[in-house]
Amino acid sequence: MPKLGTVTPILRIFDVAKAHEFYVGFLGFEVQFENRFEDNTPLYTGVYRDGCVLHLSEHHGDGAPGSHIRIETADIAGLHRELTERKYRFARPGLEETPWKTKEVTVNDPFGNRLTFYEDVRD
C-alpha cells in the first residue's frame, strides 16, 4: 500500500542576507545546505528546525511569492514567547485562538510568504 512521506515546501526568496536574518536569526532555523551552480547564480538552500525542513530558492519558477504554509508545532505558546523575546524589527506576531480549535502564530517573511505555526487544542 502506498504511503506518503513528509512535505518539503520550496519558498521563493530574493535576498540571501534577509532570508538568513528571518529564517535563522528570527525563527531559529539552521542552514542544512546551500547550493549554487557557480558563482553569481541563484541560491538554493535548505533550513531546518526540529522536524521541519524548508527549502528556499532564488531560482525563477521555484515557488511563488505569497505562498502560505502551515507548520504543526508543539508548545505554540513557547514558540510565541521565543519569537516575541527576539524583538525582530519587522514582526511582532500575536498568538491567536481560532474557531477551528487551534492556537496559531502567523508571520510573513520578507518575500511575501506567510508561515502559520499551529497547535491543535481540541478537548
Side-chain angles (χ1 to χ4, degrees):
M1 172 140 232
K3 182 180 176 184
L4 301 179
T6 59
V7 174
T8 305
I10 302 171
L11 300 174
R12 184 73 196 277
I13 63 169
F14 302 101
D15 182 302
V16 175
K18 284 184 181 190
H20 282 165
E21 178 186 27
F22 180 79
Y23 286 97
V24 177
F26 178 51
L27 295 183
F29 282 78
E30 295 181 40
V31 175
Q32 187 175 37
F33 68 88
E34 291 188 334
N35 182 61
R36 292 182 191 272
F37 290 110
E38 57 186 58
D39 290 342
N40 204 30
T41 61
L43 177 72
Y44 190 93
T45 184
V47 295
Y48 71 97
R49 177 174 173 170
D50 306 315
C52 180
V53 176
L54 304 175
H55 286 188
L56 311 174
S57 178
E58 290 183 309
H59 291 270
H60 177 74
D62 279 358
S67 294
H68 185 187
I69 62 172
R70 294 177 55 80
I71 302 167
E72 189 174 3
T73 305
D75 188 15
I76 193 73
L79 177 66
H80 177 254
R81 205 170 27 258
E82 178 184 309
L83 297 180
T84 303
E85 289 172 358
R86 289 205 174 109
K87 299 195 185 301
Y88 179 63
R89 71 186 254 195
F90 300 110
R92 301 286 167 89
L95 178 61
E96 175 187 7
E97 283 197 48
T98 68
W100 47 91
K101 306 291 187 203
T102 61
K103 288 186 180 180
E104 300 184 355
V105 173
T106 299
V107 294
N108 294 311
D109 79 3
F111 318 104
N113 300 303
R114 188 166 39 160
L115 295 85
T116 297
F117 299 90
Y118 73 94
E119 183 174 22
D120 192 348
V121 291
R122 297 171 206 265
D123 295 330

